[in-house]
């Protein structure tokens, strides 16, 4: 029995300090041995958003104990680790620098290879944790900072089919939560409120629903929520607005995903009809249920990471590390932290006012 690679993953791109050990079984399926995530929600709550300086300080305070916990929990020894994989971008530079420097130092002092990982690639590969998934596949990445449809051809090979031209979906959830007076980060709480509301109560806009291919836009929706939130008189209306917002998102994703399917099918064969949904918003059960149903209608296999791997974590970083290790794709120790690092480097930057579709 040959020794399977054992990878230490480290994540600190935003407000989660995380470390994980991942290996694979005899069938080549990745196995998560430990997955430690320390969230900073309490640090940022009173400011209504992530404060970079405070986030970086918190990473510095916790990183060594989190990595130690991950190693202890895995039952493995430092000597047994084959490579260290750290997130190098995209994200907040002061935060990225903590996990990146820690990973490089760990690699240097233990004389092991270092692997710089793109955080978005971590989300893209997260469904591979504990299950088998072959390339290619269509990916919908919906997180706090990104909303994209990508054709995933292999590790490092992505074609962006569509992206948001303004807010990310998680951002739209968080901003709506703020308007409904839910504490930061309120995105997941919208789902809870929505269960008690009438989704038909408020009619909200679906920006660029009939144009722009599978590009997305949520800014106009947020403005509409802002206007209505000023007229809200009681809790029931708050629940109704949360439900109406969530239903509008479902309708947007339903329509845009069909467009993305058509785009994907132009360059991929019918037997490759696999649809992966990843990122923090993929934890939303209503959105999951709607996309699963759509996949059944369109003969796609729907694949979601387990809920614990939807939000930011280091297991997904170790997962990318594992694939890169097998391909001997190692990084130099002067690899920079990259605040902006698109998966499809050739795709045009679409974000910003005045975008024409
Ligand atoms: O992937 P993630 O943990 O971090 C980034 O890389 O951005 O995503 C965080 C985002 C936040 O905006 C959060 O509000 C949203 O995911 N989110 C949800 C849910 N759980 C997390 N949005 C909607 N429904 C949820 N259940
Ligand atoms: Zn993320």
């Amino acid at each position: 029995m040959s020794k399977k690679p054992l990878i230490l993953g480290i994540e600190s791109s935003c407000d989660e300090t995380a470390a994980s050990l991942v290996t694979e079984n005899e069938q080549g399926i990745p196995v998560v041995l430990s997955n430690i995530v320390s969230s900073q929600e309490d640090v940022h709550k009173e400011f209504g958003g992530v404060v970079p300086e405070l986030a970086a300080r918190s990473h510095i305070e916790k990183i060594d104990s989190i990595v130690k916990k991950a190693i202890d929990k895995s039952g493995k020894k430092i000597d047994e680790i084959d490579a260290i994989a750290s997130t190098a971008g995209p994200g907040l530079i002061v935060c990225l620098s903590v996990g990146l420097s820690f990973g490089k130092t760990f690699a240097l002092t233990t004389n092991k290879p270092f692997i710089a990982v793109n955080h978005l690639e971590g989300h893209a590969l997260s469904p591979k944790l504990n299950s088998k998934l072959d390339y290619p596949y269509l990916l919908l990445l919906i997180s706090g900072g990104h909303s994209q449809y990508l054709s995933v051809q292999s590790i490092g090979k992505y074609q962006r089919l569509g992206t948001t031209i303004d807010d990310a979906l998680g951002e739209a959830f968080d901003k709506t939560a703020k308007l409904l007076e839910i504490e930061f980060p309120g995105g997941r709480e919208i789902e809870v409120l929505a269960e008690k509301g009438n989704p038909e109560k408020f009619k909200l806009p679906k920006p660029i629903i009939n144009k722009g291919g599978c590009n997305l836009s949520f800014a106009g929706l947020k403005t509409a929520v802002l206007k209505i939130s000023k007229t809200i008189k009681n809790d029931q209306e708050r629940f109704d607005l949360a439900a109406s917002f969530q239903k509008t998102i479902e309708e947007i994703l339903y329509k845009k995903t069909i467009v993305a399917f058509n785009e994907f099918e132009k360059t991929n064969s019918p037997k490759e009809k696999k649809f992966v949904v990843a990122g923090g918003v993929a934890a939303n059960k209503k959105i999951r249920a709607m996309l699963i149903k759509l996949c059944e209608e369109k003969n796609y296999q729907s694949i979601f990471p387990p809920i614990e791997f939807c939000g930011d974590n280091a297991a997904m970083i170790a997962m990318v590390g594992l694939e890169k290790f097998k391909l001997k794709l190692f990084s130099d120790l002067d690899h920079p932290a990259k605040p902006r690092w698109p998966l499809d480097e050739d795709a045009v930057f679409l974000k910003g006012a005045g975008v024409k579709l």
Side-chain angles (χ1 to χ4, degrees), residues 17-222:
T17 320
S20 165
L21 267 84
V22 168
T23 184
E24 63 179 17
N25 65 17
E26 282 306 310
Q27 288 72 45
I29 296 177
V31 177
V32 180
L33 299 178
S34 61
N35 181 34
I36 310 293
V37 182
S38 169
S39 170
Q40 303 173 358
E41 279 177 16
D42 289 345
V43 177
H44 304 290
K45 210 183 266 177
E46 64 178 292
F47 305 100
V50 177
V51 184
E53 170 69 19
L54 297 181
R57 276 185 196 211
S58 182
H59 287 309
I60 293 166
E61 281 163 16
K62 287 187 204 153
I63 189 97
D64 33 14
S65 66
I66 295 293
V67 171
K68 183 173 184 315
K69 245 190 213 170
I71 297 172
D72 290 348
K73 182 123 193 275
S74 74
K76 301 285 182 184
K77 304 252 175 319
I78 289 178
D79 286 354
E80 295 174 84
I81 296 172
D82 292 295
I84 294 65
S86 284
T87 303
L92 299 165
I93 193 151
V94 284
C95 296
L96 288 166
S97 302
V98 179
L100 187 61
S101 302
F102 191 96
K104 286 174 180 176
T105 311
F106 197 113
L108 182 69
T109 52
T110 55
N111 203 20
K112 297 178 195 293
F114 174 71
I115 300 167
V117 174
N118 183 318
H119 177 88
L120 303 177
E121 191 153 44
H123 281 301
L125 269 58
S126 60
K128 292 184 164 215
L129 291 162
N130 298 338
S131 64
K132 186 164 165 52
L133 170 64
D134 294 327
Y135 301 109
Y137 52 86
L138 174 66
L139 168 72
L140 170 60
L141 172 59
I142 34 179
S143 69
H146 299 267
S147 301
Q148 303 183 342
Y149 288 99
L150 292 145
S151 170
V152 182
Q153 295 300 314
S154 65
I155 188 123
K157 207 163 162 227
Y158 298 86
Q159 189 197 355
R160 196 189 72 196
L161 305 178
T163 185
T164 176
I165 59 166
D166 40 57
D167 292 348
L169 185 51
E171 202 180 344
F173 265 93
D174 292 338
K175 284 177 180 168
T176 297
K178 207 169 180 178
L179 293 171
L180 293 177
E181 291 167 2
I182 303 168
E183 259 187 358
F184 173 84
R188 61 176 174 258
E189 203 48 36
I190 292 275
E191 193 177 0
V192 180
L193 259 56
E195 273 175 32
K196 297 182 263 185
N198 171 9
E200 309 298 335
K201 177 73 188 278
F202 298 106
K203 182 122 191 68
L204 296 168
K206 295 173 209 143
I208 67 166
I209 192 76
N210 290 317
K211 60 177 180 177
C214 57
N215 285 310
L216 300 157
S217 168
F218 301 109
L221 176 56
K222 177 190 65 194

